Amino acid sequence: MRRLQDFDNEYLFVLPKDVLQDYTFSPIIANLYVTDLGFFPNAQYHYVNRERGSAGWVIIFCTGGSGTVIVDDTTYHLHQYSLIIMPPGIKHTYYASKDDPWDIYWFLNCQIKCNTHNPFLSIGLA
């Protein structure tokens, strides 16, 4: 069984487009904002596949358990205190471990404008 959401004790927030339009007048906010965010604890069967990537940046921070992220054909194993950042338009799949499902904070459709561009970034903090 695969699940996109509806985990026990999850938090899920999506910023309505009309609210977002009210805030994009600011040069600071227009360069860095998040439209969707959440926390999925013990996200058993969590699975996401985006053949064409996402419209904005995707950030996943694993606080417990483990999971796998595949970006273009490269596989990354996330564990407690690891983070991955994926740019828009890049094919990716991610899922929780069957034996040790992850706890993740995730940020979707992030608009990030910066002077440098890395195709993707994975950081192990522990």
Side-chain angles (χ1 to χ4, degrees), residues 11-12 36-40 59-61 104-108:
Y11 293 94
L12 179 63
D36 305 46
L37 59 98
F39 174 65
F40 290 169
I59 301 170
I60 299 172
F61 177 55
I104 58 169
Y105 286 93
W106 56 268
F107 307 89
L108 182 63

Side-chain angles (χ1 to χ4, degrees), residues 54-110:
S54 178
W57 293 75
V58 177
I59 301 170
I60 299 172
F61 177 55
C62 181
T63 60
S66 62
T68 301
V69 178
I70 304 167
V71 181
D72 270 347
D73 296 324
T74 303
T75 301
Y76 301 91
H77 299 286
L78 270 62
H79 52 84
Q80 186 175 32
Y81 306 128
S82 59
L83 169 86
I84 191 162
I85 302 171
M86 297 172 279
I90 302 294
K91 173 185 170 183
H92 60 265
T93 301
Y94 52 89
Y95 52 90
S97 165
K98 289 180 183 179
D99 298 326
D100 186 25
W102 58 17
D103 302 328
I104 58 169
Y105 286 93
W106 56 268
F107 307 89
L108 182 63
N109 293 329
C110 306

Side-chain angles (χ1 to χ4, degrees), residues 18-53:
D18 59 331
V19 172
L20 180 61
Q21 290 172 354
D22 290 342
Y23 293 108
T24 57
F25 69 90
S26 165
I28 294 171
I29 295 173
N31 288 324
L32 177 63
Y33 63 87
V34 175
T35 63
D36 305 46
L37 59 98
F39 174 65
F40 290 169
N42 192 32
Q44 189 172 25
Y45 307 115
H46 184 224
Y47 180 89
V48 175
N49 180 50
R50 294 188 181 96
E51 287 294 320
R52 296 181 182 177

